[in-house]
Amino acid sequence: MTLKQRIVDIARWTRFRSVAVIFESSERADPLIEDVFQNFSIEENGNPVPVECYFMRKREGEPGLEVADFIMHAIGRQARHNLTKRGTFVPDFAAVFHGIDTKLVSFMEVSSVVQNRSVVGEP
């Protein structure tokens, strides 16, 4: 999973003693996230590092979730913009991703999705 790998990459570049991952709580997504992250672990020099995953409701007004929302809205605007005009960037996307150390920011554009019926439980 790409998100897990990104967390491992950030941990590789950062001094830390433990990792906490906070997800915005969603009735629909929480079970999926729990399933994917149930055995998530990180090691440093062969030693396990404590990893905790949490859910937080949007209504809590946590500044980190607000920043994450801003970033996701910027990505969404850029994705819609790319449908008609590639090669230029909307201002909020440029503010988030341009001129910043790539160790601190990254994004991934999904250009297609293929359903694997065996994974979703359909015959």
Side-chain angles (χ1 to χ4, degrees):
M1 165 171 232
T2 303
L3 177 57
K4 285 182 177 180
Q5 186 57 53
R6 181 62 176 152
I7 293 168
V8 170
D9 290 343
I10 292 168
R12 189 178 316 126
W13 304 321
T14 309
R15 294 182 58 155
F16 63 94
R17 288 185 222 148
S18 64
V19 175
V21 183
I22 301 171
F23 298 96
E24 182 175 319
S25 186
S26 159
E27 191 174 308
R28 183 175 54 126
D30 287 1
L32 299 171
I33 293 169
E34 286 174 343
D35 185 49
V36 169
F37 279 84
Q38 67 183 342
N39 295 316
F40 181 53
S41 63
I42 295 177
E43 291 185 0
E44 183 178 37
N45 298 324
N47 298 315
V49 173
V51 176
E52 295 288 333
C53 294
Y54 301 96
F55 292 100
M56 184 175 286
R57 296 185 188 279
K58 177 72 172 162
R59 70 175 178 233
E60 302 299 328
E62 164 59 32
L65 290 181
E66 298 299 326
V67 170
D69 260 2
F70 171 78
I71 293 168
M72 290 308 299
H73 284 286
I75 292 168
R77 284 191 63 220
Q78 184 64 44
R80 286 186 297 279
H81 176 77
N82 285 351
L83 293 174
T84 58
K85 188 173 184 182
R86 287 197 163 273
T88 61
F89 299 95
V90 296
D92 48 354
F93 183 88
V96 171
F97 291 101
H98 294 175
I100 308 295
D101 184 342
T102 57
K103 288 182 179 179
L104 302 176
V105 297
S106 64
F107 68 93
M108 176 181 55
E109 182 177 2
V110 177
S111 59
S112 67
V113 175
V114 177
Q115 182 180 19
N116 182 336
R117 293 188 184 277
S118 65
V119 172
V120 293
E122 294 181 16

